[in-house]
């Protein structure tokens, strides 16, 4: 075995041991750790800033784009926000040990489905250092041990943050190794961990599509993926115009680069002649370029024609595709064909149309008269999240504390046996 | 593309199309299909028996073990049982569309977590033909389209059964291709399907360990695995003797070859001198061989010594390993180290011991004063099951109708937008 293999194996074994100890850790202790981490983030600001300065210097030297350098930067403000996020996670109800379902069987057997931690989480993420504390906090709150692997651009900041997470654990008595941050930037380390399903229960990549694809193809354990989205807003023939404009504009323009931003507009042909020119104007006034199907272009002078590929695109930019359909059924088919299964919205006053749309659209969230931007753990009241899953297995939609748990059946009898 | 690749791709595409249609199928129609299948099973008995006779003849000719030939055999009795199983699945509440959780957010946004089908299930199983109808029924009840791939020993029986499933679908109007049974025995077909994650949402192998391993390593989509179990019965120092004997004997002897049968006995050293000789006698009287640790052997004259490997074994036979421990903590560590995470039981009158055991044991079911044999979908009131999962991701423990579903968020607003 190479030195790297040994290093990774040891960390994975330590995590598994810590996860067994985590099974009996109280919510009180997890919250004490969160509070201590938050306190230390502010107390040890100088140390964190100094480490961060090294990352920033290296980033500038290597010619990283200014926007990327900005994402790396820690400031008094970001540290306060990070501490605040930990406090919010502490305030979330403890999920572990709660009874999700229970039945008393006719023979008196008491069957309970109880929420338990997943075990060991391997979290791989890119450059923003606040993800280090967020991810650690969510994993620990849900009773897991976590191995954190940040991006190499943030290595000094992350190691300093990891030290705080460990020091806080030692101080409050959280199992040693419940939180371990890798101090190597060797890319091979990621594959080593992804090949250890006997120690790691789930891998979670957070970052660009290439990271997620690489992790998914290498992992021998389950992966929670949060791909970005090609989200649709469908304006039904029974839509109210003001609601249509407000939901569409918010879905597209409230923030351009997020996974729940609308990238495709679908309009019913009955109302397109009256609605589409005004909707186009509202978008164009906000600098959004519209690429339309032939019918759309015929209704809006100067609209650019869309290619077939446009209807599959996630622009993450001030562009939206637009298609006119002749029925709700056609809208549903159009959306299920092109969507990435993230978030789709319908604007309608017709209850039957809303019911059909919500039943037939196969996405993590289906919004009725509400913006696609609302598909978010915080907005849904699920607390902090590590992303929005477009999978259908285990976790779908916002992935928060509960989504990092499993369950077991705890069964009480009085000497019950099988006849 | 080869002919086989084309055949598999076409079936997978048809399944995906059918699964989209299944989203809007009512529970009434699914139940009508189950009833029609049950009726046809009995009505078309001759046709099924004739097909089954071909499989039986081939099996005998190829020298298949008599027990295996028996598993293949269809009779009036097995057909009635198969029809009865379909009726029981029909009687189970329809899971699709039910609201699992819901919140009204402070701003009035109405967020609902709604149960939906998983999509397309690829079910790979070995020789028993009754699995064909069971699996199809569970998948359809949970709103999925299913591709069935049975063992080659049962191919004629399965094709005849598949014809009934399809005829019943056509008769009641269930989407064409909601149930497709592969009529090829080409082993390559399995790999073809396992490489089509864009059409298939989950693969479920049911059979021996080699089948499950092969499917797991080839699959590019999630797999629900039901490995067999090395289940433990722990007799605590605070156990009542009569309960200990009855739970142990039932766990080990009620049926030898099942995954929830006990394979390991763990006894607290305080009560071992008084309990173990009597427990050993009870097991030996039922023909069970005990392989013990050194301490166990010293208490029971003639007990065979266990090797280290014995404590990991799933015997599926009249053998059990036995270890004496000095504390509850040691019992928990011993069990978590050797168990396969299936089912473990504690016998105790001590509530604190029961709480600690159920909190710290990391298995799909933890039984207190109840037989390991009770970890079963029927016994737990979960209805028909396709197996018992030892995974912690998505489904754990008995895997029934609900475990073949996913969810989505359905969100209602009045023009809600993100601020």
């Amino acid at each position: 075995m190479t030195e790297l293999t040994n290093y990774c194996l040891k960390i994975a074994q330590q995590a598994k041991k810590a996860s067994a100890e985590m099974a009996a850790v109280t919510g009180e202790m997890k919250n004490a750790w969160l509070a201590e981490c938050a306190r230390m983030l502010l107390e040890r600001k100088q140390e964190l800033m100094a480490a961060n300065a090294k990352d920033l210097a290296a980033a500038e030297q290597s010619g990283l784009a200014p926007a990327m350098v900005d994402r790396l930067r820690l400031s008094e403000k970001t540290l306060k926000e990070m501490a605040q996020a930990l406090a919010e996670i502490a305030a979330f109800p403890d999920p572990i040990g709660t009874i999700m379902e229970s039945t008393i069987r006719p023979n008196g057997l008491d069957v309970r489905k109880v929420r338990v931690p997943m075990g060991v989480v391997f979290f791989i993420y890119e450059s923003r250092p606040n993800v280090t504390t967020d991810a650690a906090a969510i994993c620990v709150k849900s009773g897991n041990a976590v191995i954190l692997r940040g991006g190499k651009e943030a290595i000094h900041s992350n190691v300093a943050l990891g030290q705080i997470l460990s020091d806080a654990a030692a101080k409050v008595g959280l199992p040693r190794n419940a939180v371990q941050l890798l101090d190597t930037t060797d890319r091979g380390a990621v594959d080593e961990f992804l090949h250890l399903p006997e120690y790691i229960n789930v891998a979670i990549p957070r970052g660009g599509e290439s990271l997620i694809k690489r992790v998914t193809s290498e992992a021998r354990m389950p992966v929670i993926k949060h791909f970005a989205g090609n989200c649709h807003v469908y304006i039904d023939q029974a839509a109210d115009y003001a609601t249509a404009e407000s939901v569409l504009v918010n879905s597209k323009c409230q923030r351009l680069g997020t996974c729940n931003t609308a990238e495709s507009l679908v309009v019913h042909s009955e109302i397109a002649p009256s609605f589409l020119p005004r909707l186009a104007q509202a978008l164009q006034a906000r600098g959004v370029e519209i690429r339309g199907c032939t019918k759309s272009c015929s209704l809006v002078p100067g609209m650019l024609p869309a290619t077939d590929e446009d209807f599959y695109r996630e622009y993450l930019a001030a562009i939206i595709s637009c298609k006119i359909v002749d029925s709700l059924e056609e809208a549903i088919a159009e959306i299920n064909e092109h969507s990435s299964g993230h978030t789709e919205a319908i604007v309608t006053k017709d209850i039957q149309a809303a019911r059909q749309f919500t039943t037939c659209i196969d996405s993590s969230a289906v919004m009725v008269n509400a913006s696609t931007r609302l598909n978010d753990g915080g907005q849904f009241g699920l607390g902090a999240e590590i992303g929005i899953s477009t999978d259908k297995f285990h976790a779908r939609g916002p992935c928060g504390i509960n989504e990092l748990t499993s369950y077991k059946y705890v069964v009480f009898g009085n000497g019950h046996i099988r006849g």
Side-chain angles (χ1 to χ4, degrees), chain A:
Chain A
M1 282 202 284
T2 67
E3 203 177 320
L4 182 68
T5 304
N6 276 327
Y7 166 83
C8 296
L9 183 62
K10 186 175 151 223
I11 286 180
Q13 287 171 334
Q14 288 173 171
K16 183 160 183 182
K17 185 161 172 291
S19 86
E21 294 159 20
M22 287 291 283
V25 162
T26 59
E28 197 171 37
M29 184 177 289
K30 293 184 286 193
N31 287 346
W33 175 77
L34 289 163
E36 188 58 31
C37 289
R39 204 186 59 74
M40 285 186 176
L41 277 179
L42 303 178
E43 185 184 79
R44 288 160 66 170
K45 190 176 62 181
Q46 303 309 332
E47 175 188 335
L48 290 169
M49 298 296 212
N52 188 239
K54 290 188 204 169
D55 289 331
L56 292 173
E60 274 157 27
Q61 200 162 22
S62 73
L64 204 67
M68 296 296 285
V69 176
D70 237 35
R71 282 157 55 100
L72 258 183
R73 194 180 310 276
L74 290 177
S75 65
E76 177 120 18
K77 178 165 171 284
T78 55
L79 289 174
K80 275 190 184 152
E81 285 167 356
M82 287 159 72
Q84 179 55 30
L86 299 186
E88 282 168 18
I89 291 168
F92 198 82
D94 197 285
I96 299 306
T98 54
I99 297 176
M100 302 161 73
E101 291 168 27
S102 82
T103 335
I104 306 290
R105 300 292 301 149
N107 63 0
L109 196 72
D110 176 349
V111 180
R112 303 174 186 184
K113 184 176 178 179
V114 175
R115 204 181 278 283
V116 302
M118 185 66 74
V120 176
V121 177
F122 178 39
F123 200 90
I124 313 108
Y125 54 105
E126 288 175 343
S127 63
R128 280 191 293 181
N130 67 305
V131 176
T132 303
T133 49
D134 276 3
I138 293 176
C139 289
V140 167
K141 181 78 183 192
S142 49
N144 297 293
V146 61
I147 300 168
L148 297 162
R149 157 64 183 229
K152 76 171 185 317
E153 296 82 2
I155 183 71
H156 295 98
S157 314
N158 284 338
V159 167
L161 289 165
Q163 192 58 52
I164 286 179
L165 301 176
S166 293
D167 291 350
K171 183 154 175 194
V172 305
L174 200 76
R176 200 174 124 75
N177 301 316
V179 179
Q180 297 180 90
L181 186 134
L182 304 189
D183 57 11
T184 172
T185 56
D186 190 327
R187 284 190 75 170
V190 173
D191 288 354
E192 292 283 346
F193 285 107
L194 293 176
H195 296 169
L196 293 172
E198 58 276 46
Y199 300 107
I200 295 172
N201 296 85
V202 60
I204 307 178
R206 177 161 172 173
E209 200 171 336
S210 71
L211 173 73
I212 297 172
K213 287 211 164 135
R214 193 163 70 86
V215 168
T216 307
S217 76
E218 276 299 322
R220 308 235 173 104
M221 67 284 292
V223 177
I224 298 180
K225 299 179 280 290
H226 33 280
F227 279 122
N230 172 17
C231 305
H232 290 71
V233 174
Y234 166 59
I235 313 296
D236 186 48
Q237 69 182 125
D240 162 67
Y241 180 78
T243 309
E245 180 178 314
S246 140
V247 166
L248 172 64
V249 166
N250 189 263
S251 297
K252 180 66 222 179
C253 306
Q254 199 259 344
R255 231 174 115 189
L256 289 175
T258 61
C259 56
N260 54 19
T261 298
E263 307 286 9
S264 299
L265 167 64
V266 179
V267 183
H268 194 290
S269 57
E270 282 289 317
I271 47 89
S274 119
F275 280 26
L276 189 55
R278 296 151 75 193
L279 292 174
Q281 202 166 30
L283 289 172
Q284 286 159 351
R286 289 164 178 84
V288 176
E289 172 188 317
I290 310 174
R291 302 187 184 169
C293 65
T294 314
K295 279 189 197 166
S296 307
C297 290
S298 74
L299 290 175
V300 182
M303 186 183 282
L304 293 167
T307 62
D308 281 353
E309 199 250 350
D310 271 309
F311 298 106
Y312 289 99
R313 284 279 294 277
E314 185 198 26
Y315 298 108
L316 298 172
I319 311 173
I320 194 167
S321 71
C322 177
K323 186 169 269 183
I324 292 178
V325 295
D326 288 328
S327 65
L328 176 60
E329 291 69 26
E330 195 187 332
I332 290 168
E334 163 70 22
I335 293 171
N336 280 339
E337 166 67 24
H338 294 92
S339 136
S340 59
H342 196 293
T343 312
E344 330 297 336
I346 182 173
V347 179
T348 189
K349 290 179 291 187
D350 177 353
I351 189 174
Q352 186 49 39
R355 280 172 59 88
Q356 192 172 339
F357 191 82
T358 57
T359 301
C360 295
I361 288 292
D362 188 19
S363 294
S364 87
V366 188
M367 325 296 287
V368 179
N369 298 325
S371 169
T372 58
R373 287 281 294 131
L374 295 167
N375 184 7
D376 169 274
Q379 298 291 328
F380 281 5
L382 306 172
E385 57 163 64
I386 50 140
I388 295 174
S389 166
T390 53
D391 282 337
K392 293 171 87 171
F393 200 74
H394 188 77
R396 194 180 201 196
C399 241
I401 290 163
N402 286 346
E403 284 66 38
L404 292 186
T405 63
S406 177
Y407 59 86
K408 67 183 168 197
Y409 288 93
V410 174
V411 180
F412 293 88
N414 304 311
H416 282 70
I417 59 174
R418 186 148 172 185

